[in-house]
Amino acid sequence: MGNKAKNKILLAKVETTYGTDPTPDGNNNAILISNVTISPMEGETKDRDLVNGRLGNELVLHVGTHVKLEFDVEVAGSGEAETITASEKVEYAPISEGEKSVTLYFYLDGALHKVIGARGSMDIKIKPNEIPRFHFVFTGLWVDPAAVTNPTGVFTAFQAPLPVSNSNTTFTIGGASATLYEFECKQENAVRYLHRVGRESVEITDRAPKASVTIDAPPLGAKNWFTDALAITQARCNSSMARLPGILSNWISRRRNP
């Protein structure tokens, strides 16, 4: 194990019951990812602080062991047959209760790391001459790794992305077109691992989304962003990509700092 670093595959499936493995498979649940990292034994160690008449360390105890997995997914169309009316969009509204959970199977060169009851947060970054990507960070419950054979993943539903460019991408902020250098949005879910007697889970306890944007400064006579910032004017950021129906990202910022 560990000789072939690219011999990795990720499967993911939404759980019907929290913490119950729905058994994802390579034919239906493979996720095309990049830049993946796993922290297979997150948690704490507790010193025993023994008094035994000699100097030196003692064995520590592991507590609250859980798993963290993060990875990128390219921003591209779903590949599904869709009919989208011009100027319409698809919106995904955040929720404050009843968050779903997912089971992740991460295969790493013959070792299977299962991550059950996983919840997390997501970022998106758009930058010219780069591939647009979603970045996911999941925290989930610990399962003993197992020696297995990697499955074959089916990725036919994943489409090749288009790079961010003048011909492929549009961007507006506050209804005004802008020359974009970089746009980043962070969902900033507060993801908390809980381990109590009678309960072990990963919960989303809060969120505080934030966004940053770098654009060319227009003439003040055309648009005065300083006035909007001082007035704490809400601004909607819209970005769309060729081959992607509707709006790629649609975020509201309650305050802008020029």
Side-chain angles (χ1 to χ4, degrees):
M1 188 183 75
N3 293 325
K4 298 179 180 178
K6 291 194 68 175
N7 192 15
K8 306 169 185 172
I9 188 169
L10 177 67
L11 311 180
K13 189 173 182 179
V14 174
E15 297 173 346
T16 301
T17 302
Y18 181 80
T20 300
D21 184 355
T23 318
D25 65 82
N27 290 327
N28 300 293
N29 308 116
I31 307 296
L32 193 60
I33 62 172
S34 59
N35 303 319
V36 58
T37 60
I38 185 171
S39 300
M41 286 190 69
E42 290 277 302
E44 300 179 75
T45 57
K46 294 295 183 180
D47 291 319
R48 298 169 67 193
D49 294 326
L50 299 177
V51 178
N52 56 13
R54 60 182 174 83
L55 304 179
N57 295 331
E58 298 292 339
L59 293 177
V60 298
L61 301 179
H62 287 278
V63 297
T65 304
H66 57 282
V67 185
K68 183 175 288 186
L69 183 68
E70 55 185 295
F71 53 88
D72 292 344
V73 176
E74 295 170 335
V75 178
S78 66
E80 299 293 330
E82 295 178 304
T83 301
I84 304 295
T85 304
S87 79
E88 289 191 0
K89 59 184 179 293
V90 179
E91 293 185 344
Y92 297 92
I95 59 176
S96 296
E97 59 182 14
E99 296 90 351
K100 294 182 179 180
S101 58
V102 66
T103 285
L104 305 168
Y105 281 16
F106 180 56
Y107 294 84
L108 177 57
D109 196 18
L112 169 58
H113 296 268
K114 290 186 180 182
V115 188
I116 65 173
R119 293 185 170 117
S121 194
M122 180 200 73
D123 306 340
I124 182 173
K125 179 178 286 189
I126 301 172
K127 188 175 183 179
N129 302 314
E130 299 287 348
I131 296 172
R133 302 180 193 272
F134 295 109
H135 180 69
F136 295 91
V137 180
F138 281 98
T139 299
L141 308 184
W142 160 269
V143 178
D144 281 331
V148 298
T149 300
N150 283 16
T152 299
V154 176
F155 301 103
T156 52
F158 287 85
Q159 306 299 300
L162 290 173
V164 178
S165 69
N166 185 52
S167 58
N168 295 331
T169 316
T170 63
F171 182 80
T172 63
I173 178 170
S177 297
T179 300
L180 178 69
Y181 288 87
E182 186 171 3
F183 175 52
E184 184 173 16
C185 292
K186 295 179 178 290
Q187 192 176 24
E188 292 288 354
N189 285 339
V191 181
R192 186 181 179 191
Y193 168 74
L194 298 175
H195 192 186
R196 306 288 186 265
V197 175
R199 177 186 179 188
E200 184 182 19
S201 63
V202 175
E203 303 293 339
I204 296 176
T205 59
D206 200 0
R207 65 173 175 270
K210 61 180 65 173
S212 63
V213 59
T214 304
I215 60 174
D216 268 343
L220 290 178
K223 181 64 179 179
N224 191 328
W225 294 113
F226 299 95
T227 299
D228 285 0
L230 288 173
I232 317 180
T233 303
Q234 291 189 5
R236 186 180 297 273
C237 295
N238 293 331
S239 180
S240 62
M241 295 282 292
R243 294 211 314 246
L244 279 177
I247 300 300
L248 168 64
S249 54
N250 191 340
W251 298 74
I252 296 177
S253 173
R254 293 189 177 275
R255 179 165 184 168
R256 286 191 301 257
N257 293 318

